[in-house]
Amino acid sequence: MSRSVTVRVPAKVNVQLAVGAARPDGFHPLANVFLAVGLYDRVTVTPADELRVTCSGPDADQVPLDATNLAARAAAALAARRGRTGRDAAVHVHIDKDIPVAGGMAGGSADGAGALLACDALWEAGASREELLEICAELGSDVPFSLVGGAALGVGRGELLTPLEVGGDFHWVFAMATRGLSTPAVFREFDRLTEGVAVAEPVASEPLLAALAKGDVDALAGAVVNDLEPAALSLFPELARTLEAGREAGAAAALVSGSGPTTAHLARDAASAARIADALAASGTCRTVRVATSPAPGATVL
């Protein structure tokens, strides 16, 4: 039997997403405070005759299985760096999905990081952590954090990471929307909504960083912010009902996760999270709900 390698990789929530005005290259400078949460994809790579991607799990039919998939791109990028061609570069990448698809929780980025780490182990490529992070940054802005996990501040496009201290666990309820949202479309709407407005240079919130370090739920609830939320709500107004349903159920804070459309509801403890999840599931404002805690470890070979 061919050897295979499986990597578990987490979802993320942005507790701060500060967005600056678009740069000449089209990217937006960010101050992005990531928390990895305990919802995971598992990415398995096995030697094959050609590079191919398969996927199973919730909403697997929405995952691209061609060369545009970040997992396929990650495998090809590492192969190119190591001079692997032909069958030496060919792997079957199987993604067992549990992170929401097109949900603003970096599921695609997680798969890219997972495939990269798995191929490095399968091929015994010996890439350093620095090289892996460099490849991750080439693949996408959220991919480096998917590799690192835990908590981190991302600046630049979000790919330049500084690890952050977290003083305890935070409990979350994630409400999955009835349809997806395109990240580029949300950024375009952000640009439209801020046209003619002086957009401040994004900086990390000191009160938010202090709340994370102390493990203070109430302080974190008062500091969470997502500059993309107005754009996501403009494109998907129904999300406002989901946010309100979470707050009415006792969430300390509720916000759109990243570019959406998943909404994140911060609970004060595990019992509160369970109550909020039940209320959201019964509210008719979302497709499904998931409960998870943060921080969670980054990409891990199983």
Side-chain angles (χ1 to χ4, degrees), residues 63-133:
V63 176
L65 303 180
D66 58 14
T68 65
N69 188 291
L70 279 173
R73 291 176 54 199
L78 183 62
R81 285 199 175 218
R82 290 297 182 270
R84 301 179 73 95
T85 59
R87 291 191 61 176
D88 285 341
V91 287
H92 170 205
V93 181
H94 180 72
I95 302 166
D96 183 9
K97 290 295 297 180
D98 197 36
I99 300 172
V101 177
M105 298 185 73
S109 296
D111 298 338
L116 179 62
L117 187 61
C119 286
D120 180 64
L122 179 72
W123 294 333
E124 299 179 347
S128 67
R129 192 72 162 174
E130 291 72 20
E131 185 179 12
L132 291 174
L133 285 170

Side-chain angles (χ1 to χ4, degrees), residues 38-42 56-58 95-100 176 290:
L39 299 176
Y40 301 96
D41 283 359
R42 285 172 169 78
S56 60
I95 302 166
D96 183 9
K97 290 295 297 180
D98 197 36
I99 300 172
M176 315 311 171
R290 301 293 301 278

Side-chain angles (χ1 to χ4, degrees), residues 22-247:
R23 305 184 313 204
D25 63 4
F27 286 104
H28 296 72
L30 305 175
N32 202 347
V33 179
F34 297 101
L35 276 179
V37 300
L39 299 176
Y40 301 96
D41 283 359
R42 285 172 169 78
V43 181
T44 300
V45 298
T46 307
D49 292 331
E50 60 182 3
L51 176 61
R52 65 189 182 97
V53 180
T54 57
C55 186
S56 60
D59 299 322
D61 59 329
Q62 299 179 34
V63 176
L65 303 180
D66 58 14
T68 65
N69 188 291
L70 279 173
R73 291 176 54 199
L78 183 62
R81 285 199 175 218
R82 290 297 182 270
R84 301 179 73 95
T85 59
R87 291 191 61 176
D88 285 341
V91 287
H92 170 205
V93 181
H94 180 72
I95 302 166
D96 183 9
K97 290 295 297 180
D98 197 36
I99 300 172
V101 177
M105 298 185 73
S109 296
D111 298 338
L116 179 62
L117 187 61
C119 286
D120 180 64
L122 179 72
W123 294 333
E124 299 179 347
S128 67
R129 192 72 162 174
E130 291 72 20
E131 185 179 12
L132 291 174
L133 285 170
E134 184 179 308
I135 298 171
C136 285
E138 293 170 357
L139 293 170
S141 300
D142 286 346
V143 184
F145 179 72
S146 297
L147 183 72
V148 171
L153 167 64
V155 297
R157 293 182 287 110
E159 83 283 14
L160 305 174
L161 300 176
T162 301
L164 297 174
E165 180 183 353
V166 182
D169 290 336
F170 293 96
H171 298 267
W172 296 92
V173 180
F174 296 98
M176 315 311 171
T178 54
R179 60 180 174 88
L181 266 180
S182 158
T183 296
V186 173
F187 273 99
R188 286 194 297 270
E189 184 67 359
F190 172 85
D191 291 338
R192 188 187 71 82
L193 292 175
T194 57
E195 187 175 2
V197 176
V199 178
E201 193 68 19
V203 294
S205 163
E206 291 300 330
L208 184 141
L209 299 185
L212 285 177
K214 293 176 183 176
D216 187 328
V217 175
D218 289 317
L220 181 63
V224 294
V225 64
N226 178 2
D227 287 353
L228 290 181
E229 185 169 300
L233 291 175
S234 175
L235 296 174
F236 198 157
E238 299 92 331
L239 294 179
R241 293 178 55 224
T242 315
L243 294 171
E244 185 58 29
R247 295 186 186 105

